[in-house]
């Protein structure tokens, strides 16, 4: 079993699968070994077999690892209704776990106004090690798009800015932002993501904290506030927009990326999607920018990943 785990970490899932099969020959009732075999099958692109193996493991013995792997496999296969049902089962098994609590809400009528801080911190702590490679593999380009728009707005007057990278994560935007200013500050809820950001040696200050509270505590402290891929974990945007306005000096710039609902869609201003992120109606965003004290300079709809 441990050999199989090591092989999978070395990106050798086929060899890992052989080890897990051998482990199950020796101990066929082990839910742990069944779960690891299911994960290896998912890594090999054998989604149906992996999901079935993971269901067997959960039947034998429910576990956090089993539920996490099964929901991932179902999402990968596009079986969203089944995935939502498994999150409900996971929540019943672990009522205090912030991950199923948040994800199960996507299939309910009681949509939270934002993701809980504990959910965001745990999600990204677990994602920190592979965050950069995963996003770059998806063609992620949110920081580049926002940096280009900021540079076009500022022209040549972009070297003395005090910049806040709110929800900075591992600092993917840092290299693009550093040339624009004399001070670069990052804030994020995930300590492990900030460890990665610190390794870049580009930030003047890094703070573990909730971004709205942080922005509220720094009135008129920044000339540019950027939220590159952060407000997808907010449904209601009122607090985030108002505290960003407070943190900006007069004439400052607020640059933000959101995931858009269809422009012709009806219903609420925002929606929690099955993948756990919120989408927002463009009309809600533009209306709220105005009421929060901003002047809209430019809005673009682009593919960000």
């Amino acid at each position: 079993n441990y050999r199989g785990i090591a092989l999978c970490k070395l990106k050798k899932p086929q060899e890992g699968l052989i080890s897990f099969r051998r482990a199950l020959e020796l101990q066929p009732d082990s839910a742990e070994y069944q779960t690891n075999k299911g994960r290896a099958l998912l890594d090999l692109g054998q989604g149906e077999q992996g999901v079935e193996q993971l269901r067997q493991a959960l039947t034998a013995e429910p576990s956090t690892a089993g539920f996490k792997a099964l929901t991932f496999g179902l999402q990968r296969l596009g079986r969203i209704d089944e995935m939502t049902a498994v999150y409900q089962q996971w929540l019943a098994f672990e009522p205090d776990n912030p991950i199923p609590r948040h994800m199960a809400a996507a299939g309910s009528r009681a949509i939270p106004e934002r993701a809980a801080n504990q959910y965001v911190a745990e999600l990204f702590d677990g994602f920190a090690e592979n965050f950069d490679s995963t996003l770059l593999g998806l063609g992620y380009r949110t920081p580049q798009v926002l940096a280009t728009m900021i540079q076009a707005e500022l022209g040549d007057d972009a070297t003395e800015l005090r910049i806040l990278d709110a929800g900075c994560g591992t600092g993917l935007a840092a290299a693009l932002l550093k040339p624009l200013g004399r001070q670069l500050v990052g804030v994020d809820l995930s300590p492990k993501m900030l460890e990665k950001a610190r390794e870049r040696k580009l930030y003047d200050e890094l703070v573990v904290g909730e971004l709205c509270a942080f922005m509220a505590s720094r009135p008129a402290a920044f000339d540019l506030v950027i939220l590159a891929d952060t407000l997808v974990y907010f449904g209601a945007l009122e607090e985030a927009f108002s505290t960003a306005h407070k943190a900006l000096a007069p004439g400052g710039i607020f640059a933000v990326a959101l995931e858009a609902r269809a422009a012709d869609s009806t219903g609420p201003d925002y929606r929690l999607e099955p993948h756990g992120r919120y989408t927002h109606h463009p009309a809600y965003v533009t209306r709220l920018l105005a009421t929060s004290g901003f002047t809209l300079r430019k809005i673009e709809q682009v593919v960000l990943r």
Side-chain angles (χ1 to χ4, degrees), residues 12-52:
K12 298 179 178 180
Q14 186 64 61
E15 295 177 51
L17 182 60
I18 294 170
S19 289
F20 296 136
R21 284 173 171 159
R22 177 60 180 149
L24 283 165
E25 289 174 5
L26 297 168
Q27 195 171 333
D29 295 331
S30 170
E32 178 187 352
Y33 301 172
Q34 291 174 18
T35 298
N36 289 337
K37 178 184 174 184
R39 285 169 163 170
L41 287 165
L42 292 180
D43 287 343
L44 288 165
Q46 300 176 35
E48 296 291 345
Q49 298 94 317
V51 162
E52 180 56 33

Side-chain angles (χ1 to χ4, degrees), residues 166-178:
C168 64
T170 61
L172 281 176
L176 298 167
L177 296 174
K178 188 68 173 178

Side-chain angles (χ1 to χ4, degrees), residues 108-253:
S108 72
R109 294 183 179 181
I111 302 290
E113 290 192 348
R114 57 175 290 183
N117 291 345
Q118 187 183 4
Y119 165 78
V120 175
E122 289 196 15
L123 176 69
F124 285 99
D125 272 355
F127 197 19
E129 195 62 37
N130 300 312
F131 183 79
D132 289 11
S133 60
T134 299
L135 284 190
L136 293 175
L138 294 172
Y140 176 72
R141 60 192 192 99
T142 305
Q144 290 89 337
V145 170
L146 287 176
T148 298
M149 294 174 72
I150 292 164
Q151 188 70 66
E153 179 68 21
L154 291 170
D156 295 328
D157 302 325
T159 57
E160 295 297 321
L161 302 180
R162 297 165 298 165
I163 303 170
L164 174 62
D165 187 1
C168 64
T170 61
L172 281 176
L176 298 167
L177 296 174
K178 188 68 173 178
L180 303 180
R182 57 185 169 90
Q183 181 190 34
L184 179 59
V185 178
V187 59
D188 201 280
L189 276 168
S190 167
K192 290 188 178 180
M193 296 286 273
L194 286 184
E195 287 176 14
K196 296 294 183 181
R198 194 167 287 110
E199 292 173 4
R200 297 179 187 273
K201 302 184 186 303
L202 292 173
Y203 289 93
D204 299 292
E205 182 183 2
L206 285 167
V207 179
V208 177
E210 194 278 322
L211 64 91
C212 291
F214 180 82
M215 291 191 294
S217 73
R218 302 281 183 104
F222 301 102
D223 306 299
L224 169 63
V225 170
I226 179 170
L227 293 103
D229 201 26
T230 304
L231 294 187
V232 291
Y233 295 100
F234 286 66
L237 298 173
E238 283 80 358
E239 183 183 13
F241 280 20
S242 65
T243 54
H245 191 274
K246 182 177 182 179
L248 281 166
I253 292 177

Side-chain angles (χ1 to χ4, degrees), residues 65 94 102 134 182 272:
E94 287 188 304
H102 175 77
T134 299
R182 57 185 169 90
L272 179 58

